[in-house]
């Protein structure tokens, strides 16, 4: 759900990750020219990644991508009007999902597995409901099915304050995504170090207009009546893996528990006790192993 457009200083270090060499690709859809990258072995059903609020292609952790792409085709793109993609930013999760469907169709993908992180997890669920024929399996990371899950703590004012900043700092990113412990902060700065080779001042970011639209989409989604959320979950037919960090103070893990409790399809739940919103990067090797096992089942 959260994100920033913080810029990291340029570095002269050479990355050890193959994903850093992935070229910028573009494909035209009805309402946007989508920027995307593709890594890994082509063939079979590709895994398509859907990003968080404030995220662009450059914010995907290259270590995470490296593990995912070791034995499969991985595609990641920017939402309409964000980062490398053109078009008018969308102000509802449903409309962002329409853009995601446009992207999948523009690539002429018969079917894809979806992995959505935070806002991307919300969008992935809507894609699975809107176009079930396009989706094979669904992975929802650090996200919510909408509304207010019973037992969830109130929304964090601190998170909203950081998210609303036009220029968040690296420290803000670490504070939002990683636990407030010495080990958690260390993992956060390691993540920043890995993404730093792409995050230069010249890289496309997220405009104030796009940030405001995405924020409106998130708050509207969070206001969905619980009965409607249950109904939507019951209508889902794809095998699903929901995963969360127990120390996530942006979207609490109870939201994933609630989703798995009510989803109509076969679902799995995975929770990382010492991690927050970016558990998928903090525990990249373990989580990607879970993802692979789930996709190959």
């Amino acid at each position: 759900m959260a994100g920033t457009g913080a810029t990291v200083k340029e570095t002269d270090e050479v990355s050890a990750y193959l994903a850093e060499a992935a070229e910028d690709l573009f494909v035209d859809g009805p309402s946007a020219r989508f920027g995307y990258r593709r890594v890994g072995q082509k063939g079979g059903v590709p895994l398509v990644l859907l990003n968080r609020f404030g995220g662009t292609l450059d914010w995907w952790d290259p270590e995470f991508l490296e593990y995912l792409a070791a034995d499969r085709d991985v595609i990641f793109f920017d939402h309409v009007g964000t980062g490398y993609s053109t078009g008018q930013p969308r102000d509802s999760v449903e409309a962002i999902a329409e853009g995601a469907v446009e992207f999948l169709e523009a690539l002429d993908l018969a079917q894809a597995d979806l992995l959505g992180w935070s806002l991307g997890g919300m969008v992935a669920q809507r894609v699975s409901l809107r176009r079930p024929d396009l989706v094979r399996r669904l992975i929802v990371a650090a996200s919510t099915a909408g509304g207010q899950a019973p037992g969830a703590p109130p929304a964090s004012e601190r998170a909203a304050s950081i998210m609303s900043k036009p220029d968040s700092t690296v420290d803000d990113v670490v504070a939002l995504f990683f636990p407030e412990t010495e080990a958690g902060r260390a993992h956060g700065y390691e993540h920043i170090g890995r993404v730093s080779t792409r995050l230069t001042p010249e890289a496309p970011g997220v405009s104030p207009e796009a940030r405001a639209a995405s924020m409106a989409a998130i708050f509207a989604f969070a206001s969905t009546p619980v009965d409607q959320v249950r109904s939507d979950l019951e209508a889902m037919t794809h095998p699903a893996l929901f995963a969360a960090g127990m120390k996530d103070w942006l979207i609490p893990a109870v939201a994933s528990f609630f989703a798995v409790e009510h989803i109509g399809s076969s679902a799995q739940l995975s929770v990382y006790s010492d991690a927050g919103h970016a558990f998928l990067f903090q525990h990249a090797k373990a989580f990607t192993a879970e993802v692979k096992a789930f996709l190959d089942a």
Side-chain angles (χ1 to χ4, degrees), residues 49-220:
L49 311 184
L50 295 94
N51 215 339
R52 61 173 172 85
F53 166 81
T56 69
L57 295 179
D58 298 321
W59 275 100
W60 285 108
D61 193 305
E63 180 182 53
F64 174 74
L65 295 172
E66 192 90 352
Y67 288 132
L68 280 182
D71 57 1
R72 72 185 64 247
D73 187 7
V74 178
I75 302 169
F76 48 111
F77 72 103
D78 280 342
H79 299 299
V80 174
T82 301
Y84 292 78
S85 293
T86 65
Q88 184 67 28
R90 309 291 178 86
D91 62 1
S92 73
V93 170
E94 194 69 34
I96 299 172
E98 290 175 7
V101 170
E102 282 187 24
F103 173 71
L104 297 174
E105 292 181 331
L107 287 186
D108 199 26
L109 298 179
Q111 202 173 45
D113 294 321
L114 301 183
L115 188 161
W117 174 32
S118 195
L119 170 61
M122 304 173 202
V123 174
Q125 292 172 81
R126 301 316 298 177
V127 172
S128 75
L129 287 169
R130 169 179 286 273
R131 288 293 306 276
D133 58 303
L134 283 177
V135 181
R136 189 184 71 108
R137 286 178 172 250
L138 179 67
I139 302 159
V140 180
S143 193
T144 172
Q148 184 78 359
S156 165
E157 293 184 5
R158 180 185 176 195
S161 174
I162 293 176
M163 290 169 64
S164 64
K165 287 184 177 182
D167 295 302
S168 300
T169 67
V170 166
D171 290 337
D172 288 334
V173 177
V174 173
L176 280 173
F177 294 161
F178 294 87
E180 293 183 301
T181 63
E182 183 176 350
R185 286 189 291 272
H187 284 299
Y189 290 109
E190 287 169 5
H191 164 64
I192 294 297
R194 290 191 295 269
V195 299
S196 64
T197 56
R198 288 281 196 178
L199 289 169
T200 65
E202 295 76 26
V206 181
S207 69
E209 181 185 13
R211 184 177 295 276
S214 295
M215 186 79 79
I218 291 168
F219 281 120

